[in-house]
Amino acid sequence: MSAVREQPLGIDELLERVRETYERIEARAAYDAALAGEAILVDIRYAALRDRDGLVPGALVVERNELEWRLDPQGSHRAPEATGHDLRVVVICNEGYASTLAAASLHQLGLHRATDLVGGFQAWKAAGLPVTS
């Protein structure tokens, strides 16, 4: 008797399922939350994209491969901004795909208010929000 294997999820279905577990945020709302001190923006884009397109002023830049270590409030390598599990984190990637998986990973660390920016940095820029070189 052989066990029946479940069909693996494709990335599109995985993203859809992950996005059902929390509320994503639009660029203007993320900007307003950061201005009000209600959220920290975390840019996980790699250096070439930041160099090419610019930076979100005030965003904490954390390479994707360091994200969990830098934002875990209990971690030995945490950033000073990682003050607790109730922190509202808005993860920003280039177009809003990698940030979804990053936000889901932060949820697994207990950062239950973590979210990601719909459309990523490109949506931020298209909304006319501040960008620095």
Side-chain angles (χ1 to χ4, degrees):
M1 185 170 175
S2 64
V4 176
R5 282 190 158 181
E6 237 183 83
Q7 185 70 9
L9 290 180
I11 188 61
D12 294 328
E13 187 175 350
L14 177 61
L15 284 174
E16 189 176 308
R17 286 187 183 187
V18 167
R19 288 173 176 169
E20 290 173 355
T21 65
Y22 66 89
E23 188 174 331
R24 300 178 78 211
I25 191 167
E26 298 286 338
R28 177 60 63 179
Y31 175 74
D32 292 344
L35 271 183
E38 297 169 356
I40 65 165
L41 306 177
V42 179
D43 188 342
I44 64 168
R45 293 174 302 140
Y46 52 90
L49 288 176
R50 294 191 312 267
D51 292 345
R52 181 189 78 188
D53 294 338
L55 300 168
V56 172
L60 176 64
V61 175
V62 178
E63 295 283 337
R64 174 62 190 99
N65 64 330
E66 297 178 0
L67 183 69
E68 292 81 0
W69 284 266
R70 304 290 287 146
L71 290 181
D72 179 1
Q74 299 173 330
S76 58
H77 294 81
R78 73 176 179 83
E81 294 85 351
T83 56
H85 288 96
D86 202 37
L87 186 65
R88 186 171 183 204
V89 175
V90 178
V91 183
I92 303 169
C93 69
N94 194 48
E95 295 181 344
Y97 296 101
S99 57
T100 294
L101 299 178
S105 183
L106 294 178
H107 278 253
Q108 291 179 331
L109 290 176
L111 291 156
H112 62 96
R113 296 180 67 210
T115 187
D116 74 308
L117 186 65
V118 175
F121 178 84
Q122 296 306 321
W124 179 278
K125 192 173 175 180
L129 296 170
V131 174
T132 59
S133 4

Short mmCIF file of all heavy atoms in Angstrom, two decimals, residues 27-38 124:
data_model
loop_
_atom_site.label_atom_id
_atom_site.label_comp_id
_atom_site.label_asym_id
_atom_site.label_seq_id
_atom_site.Cartn_x
_atom_site.Cartn_y
_atom_site.Cartn_z
N ALA A 27 0.57 51.73 -0.49
CA ALA A 27 1.69 52.66 -0.32
C ALA A 27 1.32 53.88 0.53
O ALA A 27 2.05 54.23 1.46
CB ALA A 27 2.22 53.09 -1.69
N ARG A 28 0.24 54.56 0.22
CA ARG A 28 -0.13 55.78 0.95
C ARG A 28 -0.38 55.48 2.43
O ARG A 28 0.05 56.22 3.31
CB ARG A 28 -1.36 56.43 0.30
CG ARG A 28 -1.90 57.66 1.01
CD ARG A 28 -0.93 58.81 1.14
NE ARG A 28 -0.53 59.33 -0.16
CZ ARG A 28 0.31 60.35 -0.32
NH1 ARG A 28 0.82 60.95 0.74
NH2 ARG A 28 0.64 60.77 -1.51
N ALA A 29 -1.06 54.38 2.71
CA ALA A 29 -1.34 54.01 4.11
C ALA A 29 -0.05 53.67 4.85
O ALA A 29 0.11 54.01 6.02
CB ALA A 29 -2.32 52.83 4.17
N ALA A 30 0.89 53.02 4.17
CA ALA A 30 2.18 52.70 4.79
C ALA A 30 2.95 53.99 5.09
O ALA A 30 3.54 54.13 6.17
CB ALA A 30 3.01 51.80 3.87
N TYR A 31 2.94 54.91 4.16
CA TYR A 31 3.60 56.21 4.34
C TYR A 31 3.01 56.93 5.55
O TYR A 31 3.74 57.41 6.43
CB TYR A 31 3.43 57.03 3.07
CG TYR A 31 3.96 58.44 3.17
CD1 TYR A 31 5.33 58.70 3.14
CD2 TYR A 31 3.09 59.52 3.25
CE1 TYR A 31 5.82 59.99 3.22
CE2 TYR A 31 3.57 60.83 3.32
CZ TYR A 31 4.93 61.05 3.31
OH TYR A 31 5.42 62.34 3.39
N ASP A 32 1.68 56.99 5.62
CA ASP A 32 1.01 57.67 6.73
C ASP A 32 1.32 56.99 8.07
O ASP A 32 1.57 57.67 9.07
CB ASP A 32 -0.51 57.71 6.50
CG ASP A 32 -0.91 58.61 5.34
OD1 ASP A 32 -0.08 59.45 4.90
OD2 ASP A 32 -2.05 58.46 4.85
N ALA A 33 1.33 55.65 8.09
CA ALA A 33 1.62 54.93 9.33
C ALA A 33 3.05 55.18 9.79
O ALA A 33 3.30 55.37 10.98
CB ALA A 33 1.38 53.43 9.13
N ALA A 34 3.97 55.22 8.85
CA ALA A 34 5.37 55.49 9.20
C ALA A 34 5.53 56.93 9.71
O ALA A 34 6.22 57.15 10.72
CB ALA A 34 6.28 55.25 8.01
N LEU A 35 4.89 57.87 9.04
CA LEU A 35 4.96 59.28 9.48
C LEU A 35 4.41 59.47 10.89
O LEU A 35 4.94 60.25 11.67
CB LEU A 35 4.17 60.18 8.53
CG LEU A 35 4.90 60.75 7.34
CD1 LEU A 35 3.98 61.68 6.55
CD2 LEU A 35 6.16 61.49 7.73
N ALA A 36 3.36 58.73 11.20
CA ALA A 36 2.72 58.83 12.51
C ALA A 36 3.47 58.03 13.58
O ALA A 36 3.07 58.03 14.74
CB ALA A 36 1.27 58.35 12.42
N GLY A 37 4.53 57.34 13.19
CA GLY A 37 5.28 56.53 14.14
C GLY A 37 4.59 55.24 14.51
O GLY A 37 4.90 54.63 15.52
N GLU A 38 3.64 54.81 13.68
CA GLU A 38 2.86 53.61 13.97
C GLU A 38 3.42 52.36 13.28
O GLU A 38 2.91 51.26 13.50
CB GLU A 38 1.41 53.82 13.53
CG GLU A 38 0.72 54.93 14.28
CD GLU A 38 -0.62 55.31 13.67
OE1 GLU A 38 -0.99 54.76 12.61
OE2 GLU A 38 -1.29 56.18 14.25
N TRP A 124 5.18 52.35 -4.45
CA TRP A 124 5.53 53.53 -3.65
C TRP A 124 5.92 54.68 -4.57
O TRP A 124 5.41 55.79 -4.46
CB TRP A 124 6.67 53.15 -2.72
CG TRP A 124 7.18 54.25 -1.83
CD1 TRP A 124 8.06 55.23 -2.17
CD2 TRP A 124 6.85 54.48 -0.46
NE1 TRP A 124 8.31 56.04 -1.10
CE2 TRP A 124 7.58 55.61 -0.04
CE3 TRP A 124 6.01 53.82 0.44
CZ2 TRP A 124 7.48 56.09 1.26
CZ3 TRP A 124 5.92 54.30 1.73
CH2 TRP A 124 6.63 55.44 2.14
#
